[in-house]
Amino acid sequence: MAINDTALDQSDREIESLAEFDQVVAAGSLIGFRIQSVDLTERTFALLSTDTSEAVFLGCAMQPEATAKVRASGALVFPPVPHLPFNPYRGALYSAGELFHGLADGYEQTPDAQAYAWFEHTKADGDIFASMLRSIHDDAVSDALDEHLTGARVVGVMGGHALERGSMEYAGAAELGRTLARSGLTVATGGGPGAMEAANLGAYTAPLANTALDEALELLAKAPSFAPSIGHWASAAFDVRNRWPSGGTSIGIPTWFYGHEPPNVFASHIAKYFANATREDGLLARSNAGVVFLPGAAGTVQEIFDNATPNYYESRGEPTPMVLVNRHHWTLELPAWPLLQTLANGRPMARRIALVDTVEDVPEALARLTTA
């Protein structure tokens, strides 16, 4: 939330930092605000002396007397939940550094791995409280993602997780990500390894010299896959980031549902979810400048038709561009293109779909479909 020095923005009622809290209190009232995961243990006087009626406190640490007062005033308090490996009320997207904190001690010690272990344990025992916490977390992540992407033109890049570093296909996906980012688009991927990592890597190198991507690809090829060692794979990527620390921005949207696939570290902002359905729909729905589908398997096929459905019914408004890459793959190996063509026949979405041979053909196809 942004509050200027002269006026309070009444359209934004969320407080996500201590600085924002202090600014709102200075303006005179917390009525109706949502205070999200802010440590207020040093703000007892402010809470006791400020009107907090109809406010909602989400995971805010407070002194007992402050908690009693805000509840008595009619505020709704969701207390912090101890001993969780994640914050269900978080007000911001993840960073790679946050998810991989402690990687030097082994991937199993990182918050990413611990959240996955918690997810697997609670999913197995069917704990309704854990299910509620997962839902709150995912909703908070969606809220943070929407705030981050306000006004952005987002292009989704989908593709298989098995694509290895060092391959020509990986390099092509990286070059595509760089080209799209340099054109002013925000690249968004499923946030995992393979083609997803390659596209995020390309966006990361977009503001750098052209040679940076070639050198990065060479360095990453020494750890081609996240198997057998996620730690080795992630460390190689952090080495690239440390060598070129001023990389560009992009979005990664992974899921702990596929927790055995780690998030890639080249997405500057990571929206990681527990519920894969929420993650899939959220990624496609936010790709307002179109979606590029690189060769993949079942997951990518699912994404093609998850995206085709709202385009077919126009449930999100006018259809957005869909570009499938690699004619042989999408017509012979996994013939999704003929079905997509048949589905689109006679409908507005027909002018917004294209099949191209290589990643080099994608920018022109996107531009053509956008104006069609």
Side-chain angles (χ1 to χ4, degrees):
M1 183 184 67
I3 302 173
N4 61 38
D5 293 332
T6 59
L8 184 65
D9 181 2
Q10 294 297 325
S11 66
D12 188 346
R13 311 296 291 178
E14 295 179 10
I15 296 174
E16 297 164 351
S17 71
L18 202 56
E20 291 176 355
F21 177 85
D22 290 341
Q23 288 180 315
V24 173
V25 168
S29 172
L30 285 165
I31 297 174
F33 276 86
R34 282 76 172 104
I35 304 89
Q36 192 170 350
S37 193
V38 180
D39 187 345
L40 300 176
T41 53
E42 300 298 323
R43 294 297 187 273
T44 299
F45 177 78
L47 291 167
L48 294 177
S49 59
T50 304
D51 191 343
T52 56
S53 58
E54 300 180 16
V56 179
F57 292 84
L58 297 165
C60 298
M62 292 181 276
Q63 298 291 353
E65 61 267 37
T67 302
K69 181 269 179 181
V70 299
R71 280 181 170 154
S73 73
L76 187 60
V77 178
F78 290 78
V81 182
H83 312 306
L84 283 178
F86 64 95
N87 177 6
Y89 308 110
R90 62 181 300 114
L93 298 176
Y94 290 99
S95 68
E98 179 183 359
L99 288 172
F100 284 98
H101 180 73
L103 181 64
D105 297 323
Y107 172 69
E108 295 75 15
Q109 304 305 313
T110 66
D112 186 63
Q114 291 174 359
Y116 177 50
W118 176 91
F119 173 53
E120 288 292 284
H121 173 74
T122 57
K123 183 177 66 172
D125 66 21
D127 183 358
I128 190 171
F129 180 57
S131 177
M132 182 189 73
L133 291 173
R134 293 196 296 268
S135 296
I136 291 173
H137 167 274
D138 286 1
D139 191 61
V141 167
S142 289
D143 182 65
L145 183 59
D146 285 336
E147 291 175 355
H148 179 76
L149 292 178
T150 299
R153 295 182 62 233
V154 181
V155 58
V157 179
M158 312 298 168
H161 69 274
L163 192 65
E164 290 195 346
R165 298 165 173 174
S167 66
M168 290 181 58
E169 293 80 7
Y170 184 97
E175 290 166 5
L176 173 63
R178 183 176 64 178
T179 299
L180 295 173
R182 285 180 172 177
S183 73
L185 295 169
T186 296
V187 173
T189 77
M196 297 171 280
E197 180 189 56
N200 286 127
L201 168 66
Y204 186 84
T205 62
L208 307 175
N210 286 341
T211 55
L213 178 56
D214 294 333
E215 294 177 37
L217 290 169
E218 185 175 349
L219 291 171
L220 291 170
K222 298 174 183 178
S225 173
F226 63 91
S229 173
I230 292 176
H232 184 47
W233 174 85
S235 294
F238 277 113
D239 287 344
V240 169
R241 283 188 38 157
N242 291 336
R243 182 167 178 178
W244 293 280
S246 55
T249 61
S250 65
I251 301 295
I253 308 182
T255 173
W256 280 294
F257 183 80
Y258 298 127
H260 59 286
E261 296 177 13
N264 79 73
V265 312
F266 293 112
S268 59
H269 297 81
I270 300 173
K272 189 152 191 178
Y273 289 89
F274 287 106
N276 186 51
T278 305
R279 168 252 194 169
E280 290 278 9
D281 184 68
L283 172 55
L284 295 168
R286 290 173 176 87
S287 297
N288 53 18
V291 184
V292 180
F293 298 92
L294 301 174
T300 310
V301 172
Q302 176 184 338
E303 288 162 346
I304 289 173
F305 292 102
D306 279 348
N307 196 46
T309 300
N311 279 347
Y312 180 90
Y313 290 110
E314 299 183 67
S315 55
R316 294 181 186 142
E318 190 157 334
T320 52
M322 298 177 64
V323 181
L324 277 62
V325 182
N326 191 314
R327 191 175 303 273
H328 181 270
H329 184 84
W330 293 121
T331 60
L332 296 176
E333 292 185 27
L334 289 174
W337 174 251
L339 178 55
L340 183 63
Q341 267 193 314
T342 302
L343 194 66
N345 187 38
R347 304 189 73 88
M349 69 176 287
R351 66 177 186 273
R352 296 292 170 85
I353 64 172
L355 175 66
V356 300
D357 292 311
T358 69
V359 291
E360 288 80 8
D361 302 321
V362 170
E364 185 279 329
L366 273 176
R368 172 168 45 83
L369 297 179
T370 298
T371 59

